[in-house]
Amino acid sequence: MQLSFDRMYQASLEKDVAFEGVFFTAVKTTGIFCRPSCRARKPKPENIEFFPTSKECILKGYRPCKVCRPLEQLDQTPDNIRQLLQDLADEPGRKITDADLLQRGIAPHQIRRWFLKNHGITFQAYQRMFRINTAFKKIQQGESVSGAAFDAGFESLSGFGDSFRNIFGVSPKKSKAQRVIDLKRLETPLGTMYACAVEEGVCLLEFTDRKMLETEFLYLSRVLNATIVQGHNPHFATLEAQLKAYFDGRRKSFTVPLYMPGSAFQQSVWRVLQEVPYGVTRSYKDQAVALGKPEAIRAVANANGMNKISILVPCHRIIGADGSMTGYGGGIWRKQWLLEFEKNNAR
């Protein structure tokens, strides 16, 4: 059922939190858009228009309100689930049962539904995968298979071996040549992202709604001879801290290690891409000239499109030669937001 203008305006006057996520209030006189529950003073109805999504607000040229920060909660992991994930990271061998969830005041079916929607697996499967990832790394470091299995909370070696083979395709004893790519779900003001990392550094950072995401996962798995598994990686803490500082306007460059498998030409394009300054835009032709290959404009554009590390390797700073917005895997609306955000914070 579509809400009337009068009903939405009344909800915004009442700062009604029940309408969170249902619509956004855009103010024509200030160019700002807000949540329904924003505590800022409400303008006259003739100065307001309503949109069903924040994306539409941004595409219409509105900026997010600094009071209610309408983008900050976009797809954010609920606090109770965030705590569950932190508990697992702190103690990978721990098993959180339905009884444990109920003791925390969490309905098991709600957790199951959330994990299926956001991870494609149940919470119990997520826990099992997390434990196997931890055991895998211990075996890689020289620990015995039995020791790694029991430390990870498995009660039998046969059960551990079966679960291990289902994920990695080999037995624990034959896993020395195998690699693992750790995967983590991150929240940002522009939506949820997936981060992947290996020992050498972060190898993927993409918005979860990117159309080519599955293809990128398959490529990394094949090139690195690795399996992507939910798990902890020491690079994630640095990445999250630096991303938060970036979106807070306190960081203009990144130092977290990156690992970007690709051809020599692709890697040269990505290096040039990282040299584009914060708050500055370049064209594909500018990139080609910087590479010393002014005729390779199309090849440069293709290499840009193969970049798997958003924001840190700033392909959003590349625009058309005529100043137009060109394709961006995260969506043109995010590209516009990032460019405007950097422009406003570059001073």
Side-chain angles (χ1 to χ4, degrees), residues 24-142:
F24 293 85
T25 305
V27 185
K28 300 173 185 177
T29 51
T30 62
I32 298 295
F33 74 96
C34 307
R35 304 170 178 280
S37 60
C38 183
R39 65 179 184 275
R41 184 178 177 181
K42 303 301 180 184
K44 296 177 180 179
E46 58 264 31
N47 293 326
I48 285 179
E49 56 182 331
F50 296 105
F51 297 97
T53 66
S54 58
K55 175 180 177 179
E56 290 178 65
C57 295
I58 292 171
L59 289 174
K60 288 289 186 178
Y62 289 99
R63 305 183 307 280
C65 172
K66 292 184 178 180
V67 176
C68 66
R69 302 186 179 190
L71 293 176
E72 270 196 4
Q73 301 300 316
L74 188 64
D75 294 330
Q76 188 168 15
T77 303
D79 289 340
N80 54 7
I81 296 180
R82 192 189 298 271
Q83 187 59 54
L84 285 176
L85 297 176
Q86 187 59 54
D87 289 347
L88 288 176
D90 293 341
E91 193 179 347
R94 180 177 185 174
K95 291 182 181 179
I96 300 176
T97 65
D98 285 356
D100 295 327
L101 293 174
L102 290 169
Q103 197 168 25
R104 295 176 183 228
I106 303 172
H109 71 275
Q110 292 177 333
I111 295 296
R112 176 184 174 87
R113 200 159 48 228
W114 188 89
F115 271 85
L116 283 170
K117 177 184 176 183
N118 292 285
H119 290 286
I121 54 176
T122 65
F123 178 51
Q124 298 305 326
Y126 179 95
Q127 289 190 79
R128 187 164 56 252
M129 192 174 290
F130 204 91
R131 294 200 304 272
I132 290 175
N133 187 339
T134 302
F136 174 92
K137 291 175 182 175
K138 288 184 176 182
I139 294 170
Q140 293 273 304
Q141 293 165 4

Side-chain angles (χ1 to χ4, degrees), residues 150-179:
F150 294 130
D151 286 347
F154 285 86
E155 297 173 355
S156 73
L157 285 178
S158 61
F160 172 70
D162 290 343
S163 296
F164 195 99
R165 274 188 292 271
N166 285 338
I167 292 176
F168 295 109
V170 295
S171 68
K173 290 183 179 180
K174 296 181 179 179
S175 66
K176 290 291 185 180
Q178 188 79 9
R179 294 189 74 179

Side-chain angles (χ1 to χ4, degrees), residues 192-295:
T192 307
M193 302 186 82
Y194 279 134
C196 286
V198 290
E199 183 179 353
E200 296 90 336
V202 173
C203 56
L204 181 141
L205 181 65
E206 293 280 26
F207 291 99
T208 57
D209 57 4
R210 174 168 168 74
K211 292 180 180 179
M212 296 293 290
L213 189 57
E214 190 65 31
T215 301
E216 292 184 345
F217 283 155
L218 291 172
Y219 172 83
L220 286 175
S221 295
R222 178 174 57 80
V223 169
L224 299 181
N225 185 31
T227 302
I228 298 176
V229 184
Q230 305 276 354
H232 172 72
N233 188 290
H235 296 304
F236 288 153
T238 305
L239 173 63
E240 289 184 275
Q242 293 191 358
L243 273 178
K244 184 180 186 306
Y246 169 83
F247 280 112
D248 286 345
R250 297 181 289 106
R251 175 174 283 275
K252 295 179 172 61
S253 61
F254 299 89
T255 59
V256 60
L258 305 181
Y259 186 64
M260 304 178 70
S263 68
F265 178 76
Q266 287 174 334
Q267 291 182 353
S268 68
V269 171
W270 297 334
R271 281 194 296 271
V272 169
L273 197 50
Q274 291 176 77
E275 294 169 2
V276 180
Y278 182 100
V280 174
T281 57
R282 295 279 189 265
S283 68
Y284 294 119
K285 183 175 181 180
D286 293 332
Q287 276 188 290
V289 170
L291 274 173
K293 300 181 179 181
E295 304 303 319

